[in-house]
Amino acid sequence: MLSEMTESDFEKEAALVETVLFLESEPRDEALISKISHLELENVESAIERLKVKYRAENSGIQLEKIAGGWMLVPKKETWGIVHERYGNKNEGKLSRAALETLSIIAYSQPVTRAEIESVRGVSADNMIRLLVERKLVQEVGKKDIPGHPAEFGTTDEFLKYFHLNSIADLPKLDESEEERFTLAR
């Protein structure tokens, strides 16, 4: 129980959770951290709160971030820019302007068909969609209930991880002109 624990116990549990997060290469939710660490869920939640405070300190180069529904230790933006070239994910690769534009349309308009993407972009989207599917940033999420039943695309958890988002709701808000651009005639 949390009420019977000493400060030393809290610190040990926070250190254990920190170790799990350090060793995991993917975001992990509290339930899985609890299972891995053999700590009660409420103790994991308490440890995460302690770690959030610890990593908010200005002298820390990393932070605890909720990404795709799980917790992960990630570099702070100000330090990541300096070391990204050496330590960045080897398959991360930069996305072209066309790929980013297509990905933006999918992210803000999902679920969206290839034809709808093309109507916003004004050019064919086949190659960009194929690239984004290969990179696991988007996936087919269903079929539109219209003649021909075209595939509809949406973003993936990889997309959330790539952009360090907890959910699609964390996307930057669009201004009116941008919102009009992404509004599809449905």
Side-chain angles (χ1 to χ4, degrees):
M1 300 294 273
L2 286 175
S3 59
E4 300 170 4
M5 293 181 57
T6 66
E7 186 65 25
S8 176
D9 292 334
F10 283 127
E11 289 173 9
K12 286 177 185 173
E13 289 187 349
L16 178 57
V17 169
E18 181 179 39
T19 302
V20 169
L21 291 171
F22 177 77
L23 294 172
E24 290 292 325
S25 60
E26 298 290 323
R28 300 298 180 209
D29 66 18
E30 292 90 339
L32 184 55
I33 295 169
S34 173
K35 184 176 179 181
I36 293 168
S37 65
H38 304 288
L39 296 174
E40 295 292 325
L41 184 59
E42 64 184 8
N43 296 47
V44 169
E45 291 166 348
S46 174
I48 286 171
E49 290 305 313
R50 293 176 77 81
L51 291 172
K52 281 198 263 185
V53 170
K54 173 182 177 178
Y55 287 118
R56 276 191 207 115
E58 286 185 35
N59 62 351
S60 176
I62 58 175
Q63 62 190 19
L64 182 61
E65 209 171 294
K66 193 156 194 176
I67 300 172
W71 292 100
M72 190 169 188
L73 292 174
V74 298
K76 286 188 175 175
K77 287 177 178 60
E78 55 269 18
T79 57
W80 182 240
I82 298 167
V83 298
H84 179 265
E85 188 174 315
R86 179 174 178 101
Y87 296 104
N89 190 344
K90 300 299 183 217
N91 64 7
E92 189 175 84
K94 289 188 176 183
L95 293 171
S96 69
R97 184 178 179 99
L100 281 172
E101 184 178 69
T102 303
L103 186 55
S104 296
I105 294 166
I106 294 169
Y108 282 102
S109 305
Q110 62 187 308
V112 61
T113 66
R114 179 188 50 76
E116 292 167 335
I117 295 165
E118 290 171 352
S119 75
V120 173
R121 283 195 71 219
V123 296
S124 173
D126 286 339
N127 289 335
M128 290 303 107
I129 293 172
R130 190 175 309 113
L131 170 76
L132 296 170
V133 168
E134 285 173 8
R135 298 277 297 271
K136 295 181 173 56
L137 297 172
V138 300
Q139 66 185 359
E140 187 176 318
V141 295
K143 302 280 186 185
K144 190 159 187 165
D145 192 18
I146 60 172
H149 301 288
E152 291 182 306
F153 296 93
T155 56
T156 64
D157 281 349
E158 272 313 302
F159 168 84
L160 297 174
K161 287 186 249 179
Y162 186 90
F163 289 101
H164 291 242
L165 301 170
N166 184 40
S167 76
I168 204 70
D170 295 334
L171 281 171
K173 302 299 177 229
L174 299 175
D175 66 28
E176 281 185 38
S177 65
E178 291 170 324
E179 203 165 313
E180 283 178 29
R181 181 167 183 237
F182 289 103
T183 301
L184 302 172
R186 293 185 184 242

